[in-house]
Amino acid sequence: MRNTTMSTARLPRALLYAVLTLGAAVMLVPFAWMVLTALKPAAELGKGTWLPERVRWGNFADAFSAAPFDVYFRNSLLMSVSQTLITVVFASAAGYALARTPIRGRGLFFGLTVGMIMVPVYVILIPRFLIVRSIPFFGGNDWLGQGGTGWLDSWWALIVPGALAPLYIFLARQFYVDLPDELADAARIDGLSEIGIWARVMTPLIKPAVITIAVFQFQSSWNDFLWPLLVTRTDEMRPIQLGLAVFSHADIEVQWNYLMAGTALATLPMIALFLVAQRYFVEGMASAGLKG
């Protein structure tokens, strides 16, 4: 009787594992197709088979030689790392200010932050482009921001506009709220300034949130396509996502094997980042889901 009860209790868990395994397999199908296509010779692309009859590792080298991918990788890395550092610093500082400092109108600022999360990025795309093009004293612009190109085709345009998002401020604030007040009070009694309390006492205690923000921002920057397409004009400033478009140019047939080889290589930094930060990332996501 007891064995029958235990078997019945295990059934839902087994069913849960089966559903999760099936979901994971479905999620891995596009990645597997990408890798297998990257290993096929050009003659096998139209046959509709999954496995390559002859593995061609040279697709990866050919893809890299088809365009200046070393420049594209460098640009993506610089853009992603810069945006991530700026985001972590400013999002945590703003989150701490909204959660812990007695500033007047703190509730209003928090409400505006939550409101900005709901604004789609495509709504602000054109105004942001016009602002970047009209930066005074850059790119030949006069003091009114006219006559030149502003920040277009520069590192400023690639890094600054995408360096902070209200969602990350909200996430950091939710973690600061749950920290005990006694920690900040004790630090104030010891003579620490608010910046010191934020940097040396409070922020180290929300490490999972900081790493989660960093992973999200790096992933967003690395995969960004539309904004770099608008603000860059030369290969010297283009990131990897724009560089991959060389294999799907309109006047030639799409070179799927090279496109998938380049895409597979472009995913390696994200895979490495997730493996390194997996522990804190999962902890941060789980904690964020429990915050009120």
Side-chain angles (χ1 to χ4, degrees), residues 3-206:
N3 292 336
T4 304
T5 304
M6 292 179 63
S7 300
T8 305
R10 288 172 182 168
L11 183 60
R13 183 176 293 274
L15 182 61
L16 174 63
Y17 287 157
V19 172
L20 292 177
T21 302
L22 179 61
V26 171
M27 297 293 289
L28 286 174
V29 166
F31 185 79
W33 182 83
M34 175 185 69
V35 175
L36 293 174
T37 304
L39 296 174
K40 290 181 179 179
E44 296 184 23
L45 293 177
K47 294 184 177 180
T49 58
W50 272 80
L51 297 177
E53 297 175 3
R54 183 171 58 88
V55 175
R56 188 175 189 280
W57 295 101
N59 286 341
F60 292 95
D62 293 343
F64 246 82
S65 61
F69 275 93
D70 53 341
V71 176
Y72 298 153
F73 263 100
R74 180 204 64 185
N75 294 345
S76 285
L77 191 62
L78 287 175
M79 181 179 71
S80 302
V81 171
S82 301
Q83 287 192 358
T84 301
L85 292 176
I86 295 173
T87 295
V88 167
V89 172
F90 283 91
S92 60
Y96 175 78
L98 291 176
R100 288 293 173 181
T101 56
I103 57 175
R104 181 173 297 178
R106 190 174 63 180
L108 175 62
F109 289 130
F110 178 63
L112 291 174
T113 302
V114 175
M116 286 190 292
I117 296 175
M118 303 176 188
V119 178
V121 65
Y122 299 105
V123 173
I124 62 174
L125 200 61
I126 299 303
R128 192 163 67 175
F129 174 82
L130 295 176
I131 292 173
V132 167
R133 194 189 63 178
S134 304
I135 298 294
F137 307 118
F138 279 89
N141 280 348
D142 57 20
W143 67 279
L144 293 175
Q146 302 297 318
T149 58
W151 280 357
L152 295 182
D153 207 35
S154 71
W155 287 109
W156 297 101
L158 283 176
I159 294 173
V160 175
L164 189 60
L167 175 63
Y168 304 140
I169 299 175
F170 173 80
L171 183 62
R173 185 256 182 197
Q174 295 304 96
F175 276 82
Y176 282 121
V177 165
D178 282 355
L179 295 180
D181 294 332
E182 290 76 9
L183 287 173
D185 294 339
R188 291 189 183 98
I189 293 174
D190 289 340
L192 210 58
S193 64
E194 286 298 328
I195 294 179
I197 297 171
W198 160 68
R200 298 171 58 184
V201 178
M202 293 300 196
T203 301
L205 296 176
I206 63 164

